[in-house]
Structures are given as structure tokens and as C-alpha cells.
Amino acid sequence: MRVGVVVLPEFSGPQGIRMWRRVEELGVAHAWTLDHLSWRGARGRPWFDSFTLLAAAAAGTERMTLGTLVASPNFRHPVTTATQAMGVDHLSGGRFVLGLGAGVAGPDADALGAKELSAAERADRFEEFVTMLDTLLRQPVTTRHGRYFQAVDVPMVPGCVQTPRVPFAVAATGPRGLRLTAAHADTWVTIGDPRRPGAETGQQALSTLRTQLDRLERACAQVGRDPGSLRRLVHLGRISADPWESPDRLADLTGACAELGFTDVVVDHPRPHEQRPDAMDRFQRAVGAVCAQTIHTQAS
């Protein structure tokens, strides 16, 4: 089991780099940031581009993997997204993971003035987004015409550090999205029930995750993929409030997810303007303790 942290893209400059370094010092395997133009209660507050911040984080860290959680076609184009992903992959020395999601209706979807899409159209667009990214990041020059995106004689030089391309972490829960995950992803991402994240009890959340894992297994069978070749990541902060409340609580949640078959968990970094005075201390103690135990167990 690998443990990671989600840091919202609210901090820039030296302060932001120091935060990413402190996260790495906890011993986490990976760290992520959200890819939105604005987000919930943060709308109107400082908020920065995820790829730019990850480039700075790459320059300020040495070991942990960095990624978007998740980039979507709501306001991203495959050509520019591929170029940015290749750049961060190089700046990080091959430590970048491109997290991808279909996107939902809301400010991100409205920002560019596009028409509102139905659920089926969003699924169509996401499939085209993922498959075009896959092509762009695998070959030096790409021309591809789709319903939603065009790529005309696009060079991708020197290509990714990681081969055959940067890994994809795909967020999906429906049958079509899970088949896309099985076909193209290196990691599957879930937040539990996407209709009401955080609203389920502990047992309900675990039951939802178990059902989703079963669906993922079936999707892998449909595309002829070994399910064991796919990492499985769950965002604990979306299924349980303050999972880092104590080392024991985080260890229990992590252990329960491992028993289900997950390989990775992530928790949210406390936000300074929202947290109670001891939140950062609790977060650091819990994450540091669980990471140390995970590393010790792997070494044994």
C-alpha cells in the first residue's frame, strides 16, 4: 500500500515549494493537486494552474511521484495537455502521472462558453480526450481528427522520459469509463460514490468501493487485461472526514482499503484558513506514522 497527499493549488512561490518539500519529508509515495479553474468554497480565493505548480514542485522535490487529480476536457485540450505533461515529466525526472477525469457540469465546464453536454456526450468527449492523449504522448508527430478535438501535424519532441508515455491515472465509476480505464490507465482512481462523496457511513463506503472493484474486474476481462497490472487508488478524504485524525484511524482506513484490493490511498493536506489549530500536527503525525509503517512492512 502506497500513501499519498493531495495539496490544493493555492500556494505559489517559495511558500508553495516549501509545502511540497514538507510533504515529501513525511515519506509519502506520491503527491497530487487538483486541476480546476476554481473549486467549491475556494472560488474567489488564490488558485493556480496545476501543471505550473507541479513543475515548481518537481524542481523542489526529489523522490515522490507528482500528478494531477484530475485533468479533464472541461477546459483542457489534448494537444496542450500532452505538451504540459511531457514538460513536467522531464522537469521531474520521470516522476509525473497524468490523472484524468471526464469532468462534470459547473464553472469549469462553463468557463470557455461551450454548450452544456449530456452525460453521454461527456463520456464520448472523455474517450476521445484519453485516446488522443495516448496517441500524442507515444509518437513524435500526430495528426488525428475527432468529433471534439483536432491534432494536426503536432510534434512531441523529445517525448516523455517514461516509456512508452507518462502513466495515466483515470477516475471512473461507470461501465464505459471503467472499460476506458482498463484499456488505457496505469492506475484507477475513485472517490467512492461520486453522487454524494463523504455522505456514506464507513461500512457503506467500503461496500461501494467493493462493488466498484468488482466492476473494474469485469471491465478488465472485457478488454483482455490482467486486473493485477492496474494500480487502484482511493481518495480517503472523499469517503471519510479527516482520515488523518490519528495514526490509528488512518492506519485502520488504509488497512481496510488494502484488504479490498487497493494499492494506493491519498488524503487531503489541511488548508490553513480552514483548519483547527492542531490539524497540521495531527496530519503530520498520522501520515508520517503510516508511511513509516508501510515502508517498514515493504522492507520486511
Side-chain angles (χ1 to χ4, degrees):
M1 174 64 76
R2 302 189 307 179
V3 179
V5 170
V6 178
V7 180
L8 297 191
E10 302 173 294
F11 305 95
S12 65
Q15 179 190 19
I17 294 176
R18 285 194 297 270
M19 179 173 292
W20 288 98
R21 285 175 177 161
R22 286 195 298 269
V23 168
E24 185 173 58
E25 289 167 358
L26 293 173
V28 302
H30 36 72
W32 310 76
T33 197
L34 303 189
D35 187 53
H36 294 286
L37 294 174
S38 62
W39 187 70
R40 298 184 180 178
R43 189 170 177 84
R45 299 182 62 88
W47 193 266
F48 300 98
D49 172 68
S50 64
F51 285 92
T52 305
L53 288 192
L54 289 174
T61 58
E62 299 178 350
R63 177 192 52 78
M64 65 186 180
T65 300
L66 301 165
T68 51
L69 203 68
V70 287
S72 85
N74 269 343
F75 62 93
R76 297 287 184 190
H77 190 284
V79 170
T80 51
T81 302
T83 301
Q84 289 174 296
M86 180 182 70
V88 179
D89 194 42
H90 277 265
L91 289 169
S92 65
R95 292 184 289 127
F96 179 66
V97 175
L98 181 57
L100 302 168
V104 297
D108 283 356
D110 299 337
L112 301 185
K115 71 168 187 175
E116 184 174 348
L117 301 181
S118 67
E121 288 172 324
R122 283 200 302 273
D124 290 341
R125 184 183 64 174
F126 186 48
E127 182 171 354
E128 189 174 305
F129 184 64
V130 172
T131 55
M132 189 174 289
L133 277 167
D134 183 62
T135 301
L136 285 160
L137 289 166
R138 286 177 183 270
Q139 57 191 36
V141 182
T142 296
T143 293
R144 184 163 176 168
H145 300 283
R147 176 183 174 188
Y148 297 95
F149 305 108
Q150 309 293 321
V152 181
D153 197 26
V154 176
M156 201 63 58
V157 179
C160 299
V161 173
Q162 301 173 84
T163 56
R165 55 156 169 75
V166 298
F168 287 178
V170 176
T173 55
R176 187 171 175 184
L178 289 172
R179 285 195 299 273
L180 188 66
T181 300
H184 294 283
D186 301 270
T187 298
W188 168 62
V189 178
T190 182
I191 60 171
D193 187 344
R195 298 166 299 179
R196 47 181 193 142
E200 296 181 306
T201 66
Q203 288 304 312
Q204 288 173 335
L206 292 176
S207 177
T208 295
L209 294 176
R210 187 179 296 108
T211 298
Q212 291 177 345
L213 284 164
D214 290 342
R215 292 172 181 165
L216 180 66
E217 296 266 347
R218 291 195 293 271
C220 286
Q222 289 171 351
V223 302
R225 179 170 184 175
D226 174 11
S229 67
L230 187 65
R231 301 197 69 87
R232 303 164 180 85
L233 181 150
V234 56
H235 190 161
L236 292 181
R238 304 300 296 278
I239 66 170
S240 175
D242 296 342
W244 39 257
E245 182 69 24
S246 70
D248 287 345
R249 176 172 170 76
L250 183 56
D252 288 345
L253 285 168
T254 300
C257 290
E259 289 181 5
L260 287 176
F262 284 92
T263 61
D264 297 78
V265 298
V266 294
V267 298
D268 294 309
H269 191 284
R271 301 178 69 192
H273 67 278
E274 290 183 348
Q275 69 190 40
R276 59 183 192 270
D278 65 343
M280 186 61 71
D281 287 341
R282 287 180 180 272
F283 166 80
Q284 292 176 337
R285 284 199 301 270
V287 173
V290 172
C291 286
Q293 179 61 38
T294 300
I295 293 170
H296 174 75
T297 301
Q298 290 173 342
S300 301

